[in-house]
Amino acid sequence: MWAAGALVLLALPFYLDRFWLQAGLFAMAAAIGAIGLNLLTGAAGQLSLGHAFFLAVGAYGYCVFAGESTGSQIGLALPTWLAAVLAVLVSGVAGGLFSPVAGRLRGAYLGIATLALIFIGQHVLFNARDVTGGFNGRDVPPLSLFGLTFDDAEVVVAAVPFGSSEKLWYAGLLLLLGSGLFARGVLRGRPGRALNALRDHQVAAGVIGVPVARYRGAVFVLSSMYAGIAGVLLALVFQRTVPDYFGMALSLEYLAMIVIGGLGSVGGAVVGAVFVSLLPQLLTRYSDVLPLVSDPGSGGVAPGEASRYLYGAAVVAVVLFLPGGLTSIAARRIRTTPREKR
């Protein structure tokens, strides 16, 4: 089944149009960011409402490092692959600067503290026009790697023209695979056991020798770097960064992803990210045939609002009836199937 699923994912760019490929890329970027937040919130029990801030750092960091200087904007014109790496590192540095706070706060107190990052980030994005482009944002230089440029210049592969979406599809798959495997290794190793101990009982974790502040700060930095990777991928897919996207609503969406999919699980983060990120795009695509859903200002519910209602209801349903998230359904089937056979 894993091999068949991998083959299907590799073959999709040959058969899907641009809309579905971009929707898939948004889901991949969301899944990477959700994995990072799940390490922080699901595994370590640290509530963060500032995840969108670190996505913005990754996205705009890439634009600054890779872009060229103009009369109104600053750019360093570095090789784009190096710009992507530096953008992720800068996201980690931003998380590191906040890690002393994250290492000493927990629960709602940390959530309120991280909420301040959203307000600070929005102020900077709108007013630091030399760096961010202000309200209109700034263009995103296409990624170039090993002589291949991930732009709209078509490259014919097996009689199929590959544009930016087709090329980025495989880059997104590699990033998602690497991010998922790394996070899975962290959760299954000694750091994962230490993080779970912090989540379940902080005092007991400290008694058995877990350095509480250091682990909390480290997982916050790691989560920030995951958000930076997601921000770079989102910027490459959007091809333009705008401040409005990186607001409070985006942070809430990421919290909804990990709750719906399953806290503390890499697979849960991916499933929740796919659900939350694809829902508004599907509603927009099929708004003309869905009841009560229509274009904004036409009398019905806008697709974006309808999607928030639906995944908000999904969060309530999961909390009440399925605490382990959607992935717990598959886990139950795996546990019960051998018993039924016996």
Side-chain angles (χ1 to χ4, degrees):
M1 291 179 61
W2 281 103
L7 288 175
V8 169
L9 289 175
L10 291 174
L12 285 179
F14 292 92
Y15 300 98
L16 297 182
D17 60 22
R18 187 181 183 91
F19 170 82
W20 292 108
L21 291 177
Q22 285 191 335
L25 285 167
F26 290 143
M28 292 178 197
I32 294 172
I35 290 172
L37 185 60
N38 221 355
L39 289 173
L40 179 65
T41 302
Q46 294 286 83
L47 176 63
S48 174
L49 297 176
H51 210 54
F53 171 81
F54 298 104
L55 272 90
V57 172
Y60 280 95
Y62 173 78
C63 293
V64 172
F65 287 127
E68 297 183 357
S69 294
T70 61
S72 59
Q73 294 180 358
I74 298 173
L76 301 180
L78 297 176
T80 53
W81 65 269
L82 179 59
V85 173
L86 291 177
V88 175
L89 293 177
V90 169
S91 299
V93 170
L97 293 175
F98 193 81
S99 62
V101 178
R104 289 165 175 78
L105 297 178
R106 63 175 301 178
Y109 297 102
L110 179 60
I112 294 172
T114 55
L115 184 61
L117 293 175
I118 296 294
F119 300 128
I120 295 172
Q122 287 290 289
H123 177 77
V124 172
L125 292 180
F126 279 109
N127 292 282
R129 295 182 177 85
D130 291 344
V131 177
T132 66
F135 180 82
N136 294 322
R138 60 184 297 168
D139 293 328
V140 180
L143 178 67
S144 295
L145 187 63
F146 301 122
L148 176 64
T149 302
F150 295 79
D151 57 6
D152 286 322
E154 292 186 350
V155 177
V156 179
V157 179
V160 177
F162 270 43
S164 61
S165 298
E166 288 82 1
K167 300 171 189 175
L168 284 173
W169 180 268
Y170 296 106
L173 284 179
L174 288 175
L175 287 174
L176 178 57
L177 178 62
S179 300
L181 290 177
F182 184 84
R184 189 178 181 184
V186 169
L187 292 175
R188 292 191 173 188
R190 180 178 296 179
R193 293 191 293 271
L195 294 175
N196 290 335
L198 290 177
R199 177 195 61 199
D200 297 336
H201 203 295
Q202 174 184 336
V203 176
V207 169
I208 64 176
V210 176
V212 176
R214 188 172 69 187
Y215 264 91
R216 281 183 176 173
V219 73
F220 196 89
V221 172
L222 182 60
S223 175
S224 303
M225 295 181 71
Y226 269 84
I229 297 172
V232 172
L233 184 56
L234 278 173
L236 292 172
V237 177
F238 274 126
Q239 298 182 354
R240 188 170 186 84
T241 56
V242 289
D244 282 333
Y245 181 75
F246 302 99
M248 184 65 193
L250 183 61
S251 289
L252 295 178
E253 287 179 5
Y254 273 96
L255 285 175
M257 292 175 193
I258 62 175
V259 172
I260 293 172
L263 291 171
S265 166
V266 174
V270 175
V271 171
V274 171
F275 177 82
V276 173
S277 63
L278 290 185
L279 188 58
Q281 299 183 65
L282 292 176
L283 292 178
T284 303
R285 176 85 168 188
Y286 299 108
S287 60
D288 54 342
V289 297
L290 292 174
L292 303 178
V293 180
S294 61
D295 295 331
S298 59
V301 180
E305 295 180 1
S307 65
R308 293 190 179 97
Y309 297 152
L310 290 176
Y311 68 67
V315 168
V316 175
V318 165
V319 170
L320 291 178
F321 306 110
L322 204 63
L326 296 177
T327 53
S328 65
I329 300 175
R332 290 177 184 175
R333 291 180 62 89
I334 292 174
R335 287 196 300 265
T336 57
T337 299
R339 298 176 185 175
E340 295 172 355
K341 289 182 179 179
R342 289 197 297 268

